[in-house]
Amino acid sequence: MTYYSEHSQVWVSVDCIVFGFEKNKLKLLVGRRQMDPGRGEWSLYGGFVKTNESLEDAASRVLQDLTGLKKIYMQQIGAFGAIDRDPGERVISVAYFALINVNDYDDKLRIEYGQEWVNLNELPQLYSDHNIMVEKAIAWLRHHISTEPICFNLLPSLFTLTQLQHVYEAILGEEIDKRNFRKRIKQIDFIEKTELIDKLTSKRGAALYRFNRKIYADAPNFKL
């Protein structure tokens, strides 16, 4: 028996906003669209939802195909369903953003998929409503960065306080007072100072810190 045959069909897709952090800049992974309509335009990477997968499963599949990484931090930021958003068919897209450490990403995959890291403040015009998706993702990050430890997904497992501050500044789009920032960070139990020293990015040798997930899980209330 066929159900809902009296109703028109629509396509459902996921679009993935992949953020990385490099050289003190928040970056976005974009590429030239490989299909019509919009072939050749700058675009986020996405795909259609298969009949045997949920929205989250579809986003996870697309992200793993693109980055080769599993268990990526991922967050849904909304559905986009303007009638004329896709000139090809009636397509509703659900957008997810992901945060990755650029150094974990296999650059061969980036080249294979024709993707490029673009500084957020140099973002080109993207296909359809993809720029709006990015704007909503940034708004979400800025709203939650002071209450959730999301920024650690952009950093290596060991990081300096300077690197941490630069991540905050890149997301917020403004400079932060160094003294106040460090004073607050040192009061947070789950940001642990290690005995290791960074001699690559710091001439004087800066202490390396790490995010202790277990301590955070036991006491998740957090505000910077």
Side-chain angles (χ1 to χ4, degrees):
M1 182 179 292
T2 301
Y3 297 98
Y4 314 128
S5 58
E6 70 274 22
H7 298 288
S8 59
Q9 292 185 334
V10 298
W11 297 86
V12 180
S13 67
V14 293
D15 281 300
C16 295
I17 306 157
V18 181
F19 291 115
F21 178 73
E22 188 178 39
K23 296 180 180 178
N24 301 335
K25 300 287 186 180
L26 190 63
K27 299 194 172 187
L28 180 69
L29 202 59
V30 296
R32 296 287 186 179
R33 190 169 164 86
Q34 300 296 313
M35 65 175 70
D36 294 319
R39 185 183 298 271
E41 294 183 30
W42 288 108
S43 173
L44 299 173
Y45 191 79
F48 287 100
V49 179
K50 297 180 180 179
T51 57
N52 64 342
E53 62 185 2
S54 67
L55 288 170
E56 188 169 321
D57 289 341
S60 295
R61 169 179 56 80
V62 169
L63 284 168
Q64 185 174 342
D65 287 347
L66 178 61
T67 67
L69 302 175
K70 298 180 179 179
K71 297 181 179 180
I72 298 175
Y73 178 89
M74 181 178 73
Q75 181 73 37
Q76 185 188 126
I77 53 116
F80 297 79
I83 294 172
D84 59 349
R85 66 174 302 274
D86 191 311
E89 292 286 352
R90 181 77 167 94
V91 180
I92 295 174
S93 181
V94 181
Y96 288 81
F97 76 81
L99 305 175
I100 69 172
N101 176 15
V102 172
N103 292 330
D104 290 338
Y105 181 29
D106 186 348
D107 206 50
K108 293 179 182 178
L109 279 175
R110 181 188 63 79
I111 296 171
E112 178 184 340
Y113 282 92
Q115 300 290 298
E116 294 186 24
W117 286 113
V118 177
N119 291 341
L120 192 63
N121 58 2
E122 299 173 354
L123 191 64
Q125 181 61 45
L126 302 178
Y127 174 74
S128 185
D129 49 10
H130 289 188
N131 286 87
I132 299 174
M133 295 179 182
V134 175
E135 290 171 5
K136 286 186 175 292
I138 290 296
W140 192 99
L141 284 172
R142 289 175 176 170
H143 183 72
H144 290 82
I145 192 172
S146 295
T147 56
E148 297 182 32
I150 52 179
C151 60
F152 300 104
N153 296 284
L154 295 164
L155 290 167
S157 57
L158 295 173
F159 52 85
T160 66
L161 292 187
T162 297
Q163 289 173 315
L164 182 60
Q165 180 176 338
H166 286 158
V167 169
Y168 272 83
E169 290 175 334
I171 291 175
L172 295 173
E174 60 185 22
E175 292 185 3
I176 300 173
D177 181 79
K178 180 178 179 179
R179 182 179 297 179
N180 290 336
F181 180 79
R182 294 192 173 210
K183 180 180 178 181
R184 182 67 187 97
I185 289 296
K186 291 177 180 179
Q187 294 172 345
I188 299 175
D189 291 341
F190 57 77
I191 302 179
E192 292 184 329
K193 183 178 181 180
T194 72
E195 297 179 354
L196 301 173
I197 300 295
D198 172 34
K199 296 182 180 179
L200 295 177
T201 62
S202 173
K203 294 180 180 179
R204 298 175 59 184
L208 287 167
Y209 289 73
R210 65 185 167 207
F211 170 50
N212 189 314
R213 296 183 183 277
K214 185 178 185 305
I215 292 178
Y216 175 75
D218 292 339
N221 292 328
F222 162 59
K223 188 171 183 179
L224 181 63

